[in-house]
Structure formats: structure tokens, C-alpha cells
Amino acid sequence: CSGFPVSIFFIVINEFCERFSYYGMRAVLVLYFTYFLRWDDNLATAIYHTFVALCYLTPILGAIIADSWLGKFMTIVSLSIVYTIGQAVLSVGSINDLTDHNRDGSPDNLSVHIALSMIGLILIALGTGGIKPCVSAFGGDQFEEDQEEQRSTFFSLFYLSINAGSLISTIVTPNLRATECGIHAKQRCYPLAFGVPAILMAVSLIAFVLGSRMYKKSKPQGNVMLEVSKCIGFAIKNRFRHRSKEFPKREHWLDWASEKYDKRLIAQSKMVLKVLFLYIPLPMFWALFDQQGSRWTLQATAMNGDFVVKPDQMQIVNPILIVIMVPVVDSLIYPLIAKCKINFTPLKKMTVGMFLASMAFVAAAIVQVQIDKTYPVFPAAGQIQIRVINLGTSPAKIQFQHEAKIIDLAAKETTGYLTFQTSQLELINITSSLLNDTKDLQDLQEQQRYTLAIAGNSSNWLLDVLSKPEEGQNLVRFISNYDVPINIAMGKWNFGELPPFSASNYSTIPGSKMDYFIEGKTHLSQCSIISKKFGFGGAYTISVDDCDGHNLYVTYYEDVAPSTVHMAWQIPQYFLLTCGEVVFSVTGLEFSYSQAPSNMKSVLQAGWLLTVAVGNIIVLIVAGASQLEKQWAEYVLFAALLLVVCVIFAIMASFYTYVDPNEIEAQFAEEEKKEEKKDQDDHEYAVAEAVSQM
């Protein structure tokens, strides 16, 4: 097909569907942990990074299975089946109605959902990691030796399919998650958000198997990683055996393997180890980079979402910027630096990438500080908070027993939340033209928020919300300040009939800049009004004051202020991190391949993937050990750690000497030819001697 093997199109389709499946599932994973499994932010982050680390550890296992046992084709098929089962199990584990026997909209047995989710994620990690080193190499195997140009085009298509799958799925699955589904009660539709990636993974497997008869399938040739590992192991063991001074030192410790392994393998192993040594600081970059899907997504949920994307969709900024930045950097930035006669070597580029990633987390910390300023201060241990609302039409005076001052409240006015020590509170006195009442405060529980609503000749306690609403949603309740029972509905939410001076429960309203139609009905009249725009992450008490003809009169009281820091403020940190990725990741792979022997590029690929896994493990260690209460402080800690590692890497890089593996291999090939010729000459001479003696 236009010079290409038809089989490669099945491989490209397979990769697109698999990447859609993986990134689509991963995009909503941390919110699933937080809002469905009810884990706190730290545990959700820890499990998320454990999963990602496992996804980047299993490629080594996949490469060994493919090269030493099953071959690439059967490894991809076998592990894709495991992968598909894992996605299906995760989707089933997210079905709320699976254990919701009392039909209240919440799982009755979370342990069942947790167990299924963990089993599903382990299977997914084995599948996605195991096939990762096989698919691209299997695609390359489909071309003949004289099809270099077509092979290069294939890898471009392959890379495009990865980014297309990632980008589209990161847009689609958060929208699926945001829809509501359920048999008995409606809730976030995680089964659909995980189910669609499961279907795509099944399509990926089917597409790959359909091309089976067209593929060129090479048999397992033995794993070069194992050979290198054995060579290194033998060198260490042999050196330990000959550690006494009577044995002369050798130029390099790997030379102790020369008794068993040939010079070419030893020389190639030396080149690989030089690069792997430079890999030691690299995991710190990935520790920051992969927090896009965990900490940064959670950060976005606490921001103003009046934006075109949802919190778990903000990750699409990264692939979009990559598509823009890669050609800009390659065609504009690098040539400009070269014109300035600056020797911008690959290792210098990687150092700059680390620095930019560090600055991205400084930007994230600045944004987090601004977010923290918008958070309400809730009561600590031994404290309660009380707010007084005067719903009446005449002024009222409020006095707490232990305070000498009197608080004057005009009609429709509120005090805001006042913080008290519970041990100091006993009585509160309320005085107005129609009311003179003293209330006992000793029954109020500590670490709670209360509203004392005053209307006419009565007063009533309301228990208020004690946390900021999740996922940028809003909480709304109504309190009747009307003298007859009134039925209240707002949009599709029905708050029921409210007797005079009673309050409804809070209802969850999606965060948006929309307004809603509020409708009130009494036995005599029907009235309505357009609500205010609630924003994101706020809680409100709405007083129904009058139903006059067709007009409903209400007053809004803010229980929790909405988020005011816009989600667009995350773009600078994504921009810095993406710039860091472009000069770090792309350059790192290019550098690794240029410095590795042709038959050992898979070893460096495994080493590169291992740095990603270790980076995610670092997140677990640092986040668990730091015990920092403020999230901005954790961001600063990660930025500082990467900055230190950046300096260490720059020092290590300054001592590195670039080599040309092709030149070294050519020298070995030349020496081997000379040795072969010498052996042949010796053999011919021996034959000639034997003939002459006959």
C-alpha cells in the first residue's frame, strides 16, 4: 500500500486504541480515588503514582518475555488480553449499584470496589507495560532493510497515533465521567468513563489480531538485557574473587569479564553503563512531571472552572503545547542558539529541561498560595463557629454571655461566622421588636458551624456545611421566611415543601456560571425568579422572603465563598513543564540512542522507562515523608529537590565524553576481519605444510 506493508496499519490502529484506553482511564483515575473510593488527597496521590510506577517497571518483564520466550507477536496478544480484562474489572468495580443495597446513592461496601479496582489496575499495569517495548519494535520488523524511508514514516505515524489517542481520550473521558448515571440514584458515571477505554482496548486487540496473517514474525533471539546483566554480574563476581594484591589491576572493572565474554560485548556494556550512570539523577524530573495527573488535577478542582475544560481535562494542555513547541524549538530556538555560537549540547539541553520543570512547580506553588487565600477558616478542635442571620424586617440585637459588646443587625443582615471556644459559650440573648429570647449554647458540638436564623418572633438553629464542596460543585439550601408553606424547586432540583421558618437540606448543584429558574408554589399562588450565577465551589443559604403575584423574592447568604482563582492560571505552569519536557525528554532519548551500540538500544530504552518508574516512587517517598500541611510547601520542596538534582546532573554532564558507537563498532569489525583473515592464513599455511610433508 503505497510502498508500505499493509500490516503496519493494523499496528497503528492498535496503538491509537491502546493509548486512548490508557490515557483516558488515567485522566479520571485520581478523581475516582478521591470522590468514589473516598480516599484523601495524599492516599489518592500515593496509589496513583504507585500504579504509574508499576506501568513503567513492567516493560522490562515484557521485553524479557518477548525476546526470550514468546516472541513479540504472542507477547502483545497475551498481555493485551490481560490488559482488556483489567480495564473491564476496573469498570465493573466503579459501578455504584454493585453494593448499593439500600439504594441511597452510596456504595454500602467500599472494600469490594477497592478490591476490584486494585485487581483491575494491576492487570492494566502488566498489560500496558508489558506491550510497551514490543509494539513499536514489532512495527519496525515489518519493513525490509531497503525501506528506511518508509520505516521512518511509520515511526512518525506511530508517534502521532500515541498523541492523538492521548489527546482525544483526555477530552472525552472526563466528559463521560461528568455525566450522571445509575439505576437507583444518579451519580458521576465512572463505569462509562472506564468502560469506553475498556471497549477501545478490546478493539485494539481485535485490530491487532486481524492483521496476524500479514505480519512478519521473528522468533525469540535471546534478550540482550540479560546478556549485559550476566556480563556485569560475572565481572563483579570475578573481581571479588581476585581482590588480593597479587592480581594486577585492569583498566576498567568490566574488563574482569574478559575470561568469559568477548571484547565487543564488554566494550558495548561500557558505553551503555556510561549513559545509565547519567540516568541516576533523571527520576527526579519524572517525579515532578507525572504530578500533572495527580496533584495538579486536584489543584484544578479547587479553582474557578469557568473555562472550556474540566479539572481532569487540564492535562490536554501538555500534548497541545507539545505539538506546538516541538517544531518551534527545532526550527527556531535551536537554530537561533546555534547562530549565537553557543554549544548547546544534548546534556546541556537536559539540564535546562530540569530547571524549567523546577520553575513550573514554583509557578504551581504561587497559584496554590492564591487558592489557599480563598479557603474559609473552619473551626479547630475546641472551637465552634456561629453566624446570626436576621431574616426579619426590623433590627435585632445579639449578645453572647461572655462578651460585653452587643451586635446590632439590620433587617436581612448577617454577622458572618464568629469563632468561639466551646468552653466559654453558655448563653446567647436575642432582642428585637417582636422577640426577646435566650438560648442555651452548651448543646452545640465543637468543630461545627451553626447559623442562628431570626425571623419575627422566633429563632432557629441550622447546621452548616463544614467543607468546601467537591469538584467545584455548589451546595444550595432554602430557608422559608414566608408565613405559609411553600414548595421550592430550582431547575431540576426539587427542595420540597417548606413549612414557615424551616430549612431544606443542601443539594449539590453543578459548578457553572449558569443561572437557574427558581419556582415557588403555595396553595394560593405561584411565583418565580431567575437565580444568581453561583460560580464554582460555593455553598449558599437562600431565604424565600415573599411570593407576591408572579414574583418570588429571595435573599442570598454565602456559607462558603466560591473559588475565585481561575483555572487558566495553571497554563503558565503547564507551559514551563512542557518546555522542560521538550528539551529534556526528546533530547534524552536522542542522546541515549546516539550513545548506545545498535544492538543495545533496547537496554537503554528499558533504563529510560525505569527512570520514570523510580520518579513516581520518589513522589510516594517525598509526599509521605514530608508531612507538610500546606500543598504549596510540598510544591516548593519538589522544586528545590529538582533544582539540587539539576546542579548535580550539570556537574556529572561536564565530565562526560561523547562517543561514536558506530565508529567503535567499525573498529571491532575491522579487528575481527583481521583476526578472521589471520586465522584463515594460519589454516591455509597449516594445510600447505601438511600437504608438503605427505
Side-chain angles (χ1 to χ4, degrees), residues 139-212:
D141 291 345
Q142 305 309 305
F143 295 87
E144 303 295 339
E145 290 183 6
D146 60 348
Q147 290 183 299
E148 287 295 328
E149 187 178 339
Q150 289 92 337
R151 185 185 286 112
S152 177
T153 303
F154 160 72
F155 282 115
S156 296
L157 285 171
F158 190 82
Y159 186 73
L160 180 64
S161 70
I162 291 172
N163 284 278
S166 166
L167 183 62
I168 296 171
S169 65
T170 308
I171 295 171
V172 171
T173 53
N175 283 323
L176 298 177
R177 172 196 63 83
T179 60
E180 293 185 343
C181 63
I183 300 172
H184 307 303
K186 301 298 180 184
Q187 61 276 315
R188 295 298 193 196
C189 203
Y190 290 105
L192 187 60
F194 292 139
V196 169
I199 293 170
L200 263 292
M201 191 55 226
V203 172
S204 170
L205 174 59
I206 293 167
F208 185 75
V209 172
L210 283 176
S212 176

Side-chain angles (χ1 to χ4, degrees), residues 10 153 176 214 240 294 309 322 361 440 448 457 471 483 515:
F10 292 95
T153 303
L176 298 177
M214 305 177 194
F240 184 76
S294 56
V309 295
I322 283 179
F361 266 64
D440 189 350
Q448 294 290 345
N457 59 358
E471 296 185 74
D483 53 7
D515 48 32

Side-chain angles (χ1 to χ4, degrees), residues 15 19 50 176 237 267 280 363 383 414 530 575:
E15 185 65 12
R19 289 291 87 185
T50 301
L176 298 177
K237 186 164 51 174
I280 293 173
Q383 295 179 337
T414 177
I530 299 297
F575 175 75

Side-chain angles (χ1 to χ4, degrees), residues 478 488-490 516-520 527-529 531 542 552 556:
F478 285 86
I488 296 294
M490 185 176 78
Y516 298 94
F517 191 70
I518 305 177
E519 188 176 16
C527 45
S528 61
I529 191 174
S531 75
I542 304 176
L552 182 67
Y556 297 88

Side-chain angles (χ1 to χ4, degrees), residues 364-385:
I366 293 170
V367 171
Q368 190 64 46
V369 168
Q370 300 306 313
I371 293 172
D372 290 349
K373 289 179 181 178
T374 67
Y375 282 153
V377 178
F378 293 108
Q383 295 179 337
I384 64 169
Q385 290 180 340

Side-chain angles (χ1 to χ4, degrees), residues 15-301:
E15 185 65 12
F16 169 82
C17 294
E18 188 275 325
R19 289 291 87 185
F20 185 109
S21 177
Y22 175 73
Y23 283 108
M25 173 275 303
R26 207 176 89 164
V28 301
L29 193 58
V30 77
L31 297 188
Y32 171 69
F33 291 158
T34 306
Y35 299 125
F36 186 88
L37 298 184
R38 292 292 160 186
W39 291 342
D40 62 38
D41 289 359
N42 289 331
L43 180 58
T45 300
I47 300 300
Y48 175 87
H49 287 284
T50 301
F51 167 71
V52 176
L54 191 58
C55 289
Y56 284 93
L57 284 172
T58 49
I60 298 173
L61 178 64
I64 292 172
I65 292 172
D67 292 344
S68 306
W69 181 27
L70 293 179
K72 296 185 185 74
F73 175 77
M74 284 307 301
T75 300
I76 295 169
V77 172
S78 303
L79 291 179
S80 292
I81 293 171
V82 172
Y83 193 166
T84 306
I85 293 170
Q87 288 279 32
V89 170
L90 178 62
S91 181
V92 171
S94 67
I95 298 174
N96 185 77
D97 297 300
L98 195 65
T99 62
D100 186 16
H101 304 301
N102 60 5
R103 303 185 179 183
D104 64 349
S106 298
D108 297 336
N109 190 351
L110 265 180
S111 59
V112 172
H113 297 276
I114 292 171
L116 288 172
S117 299
M118 293 305 101
I119 291 169
L121 289 175
I122 290 169
L123 295 176
I124 290 168
L126 288 172
T128 188
I131 68 175
K132 192 183 291 290
C134 302
V135 179
S136 59
F138 186 71
D141 291 345
Q142 305 309 305
F143 295 87
E144 303 295 339
E145 290 183 6
D146 60 348
Q147 290 183 299
E148 287 295 328
E149 187 178 339
Q150 289 92 337
R151 185 185 286 112
S152 177
T153 303
F154 160 72
F155 282 115
S156 296
L157 285 171
F158 190 82
Y159 186 73
L160 180 64
S161 70
I162 291 172
N163 284 278
S166 166
L167 183 62
I168 296 171
S169 65
T170 308
I171 295 171
V172 171
T173 53
N175 283 323
L176 298 177
R177 172 196 63 83
T179 60
E180 293 185 343
C181 63
I183 300 172
H184 307 303
K186 301 298 180 184
Q187 61 276 315
R188 295 298 193 196
C189 203
Y190 290 105
L192 187 60
F194 292 139
V196 169
I199 293 170
L200 263 292
M201 191 55 226
V203 172
S204 170
L205 174 59
I206 293 167
F208 185 75
V209 172
L210 283 176
S212 176
R213 293 186 178 182
M214 305 177 194
Y215 298 139
K216 290 170 60 180
K217 303 169 189 174
S218 55
K219 293 180 180 179
Q221 300 294 321
N223 197 297
V224 72
M225 283 191 291
L226 290 178
E227 287 299 309
V228 173
S229 300
K230 288 176 182 178
C231 178
I232 293 170
F234 181 79
I236 294 170
K237 186 164 51 174
N238 199 30
R239 177 68 184 92
F240 184 76
R241 284 176 186 165
H242 301 86
R243 60 186 181 277
S244 63
K245 292 182 179 179
E246 62 183 90
F247 297 101
K249 290 184 177 180
R250 301 191 182 182
E251 187 178 347
H252 192 280
W253 63 270
L254 263 178
D255 292 332
W256 287 96
S258 58
E259 283 87 340
K260 186 175 180 181
Y261 296 92
D262 61 66
K263 291 182 179 180
R264 180 192 283 261
L265 179 63
I266 293 171
Q268 291 171 334
S269 299
K270 288 178 184 178
M271 286 187 279
V272 167
L273 285 178
K274 279 181 67 179
V275 178
L276 289 178
F277 176 71
L278 285 175
Y279 279 2
I280 293 173
L282 304 191
M284 200 64 225
F285 174 87
W286 300 114
L288 276 70
F289 182 82
D290 277 336
Q291 290 189 55
Q292 293 176 86
S294 56
R295 292 298 197 197
W296 285 13
T297 298
L298 292 171
Q299 183 187 61
T301 63

